Amino acid sequence: VQLVESGGGLVQPGGSLRLSCAASGFTFELVALNWVRRTPGKGLEWVAGISAGDISEYLHSVKGRFTISRDNAKNTLYLEMRSLQTDDTAVYYCATDLRAWVSPRTDFTYWGQGTQVTVSS
C-alpha cells in the first residue's frame, strides 16, 4: 500500500487549497479513505472520510468548508479546503485501514508521508 499526498502550502486566512492523495497497492474503489491532520497542540485529529460507496463524513469544525472526494479512475483522493482558518494549520495525512466504511478515528494501518498546510497572514 502506498499513499502519496500533495497540494499543501502557505495560504492566507479565508483562502483555499486542494490536497490530493495518489494511492496504489490495493483495490482503490473498494476501500474507505480518510484525511487526518496533526498539529503540535492537538496531536492527531481525524478530519474527513469517504466510504467505498461515496458516503462522506466530516469533523464538525470543517463541515461546510471542506469537501472530500475520490476519483476511482485515477486512484486519487482529494480534500478541497475553503475558508481556511489559522486553526487549520497542520500536516495533513491520507490514511486507510482497507475497510469499506468510514470510521472516524486516528489509528489507521496505512499512512502517507503528509503534506504541510500553513494558514497565516
Side-chain angles (χ1 to χ4, degrees):
V1 173
Q2 188 172 22
L3 302 167
V4 180
E5 302 94 336
S6 62
L10 173 63
V11 62
Q12 291 186 340
S16 300
L17 275 177
R18 187 174 84 155
L19 306 183
S20 299
C21 172
S24 61
F26 59 95
T27 306
F28 185 84
E29 60 265 29
L30 299 182
V31 168
L33 295 149
N34 303 270
W35 288 101
V36 179
R37 64 189 180 188
R38 181 172 66 190
T39 62
K42 292 184 181 179
L44 286 173
E45 181 176 54
W46 177 87
V47 174
I50 186 166
S51 72
D54 255 1
I55 297 171
S56 56
E57 298 182 34
Y58 297 92
L59 177 70
H60 179 74
S61 63
V62 308
K63 197 173 285 189
R65 300 188 298 120
F66 289 12
T67 302
I68 189 171
S69 62
R70 60 192 299 159
D71 186 334
N72 291 339
K74 296 182 178 180
N75 282 12
T76 302
L77 175 73
Y78 301 100
L79 185 67
E80 189 79 36
M81 304 186 293
R82 300 177 298 276
S83 301
L84 281 161
Q85 304 166 357
T86 54
D87 285 351
D88 296 318
T89 295
V91 178
Y92 284 73
Y93 298 91
C94 175
T96 183
D97 56 7
L98 301 185
R99 297 179 182 177
W101 58 92
V102 173
S103 179
R105 65 184 210 277
T106 58
D107 60 337
F108 295 103
T109 305
Y110 301 101
W111 295 77
Q113 84 288 349
T115 186
Q116 176 71 48
V117 172
T118 302
V119 184
S120 175
S121 54

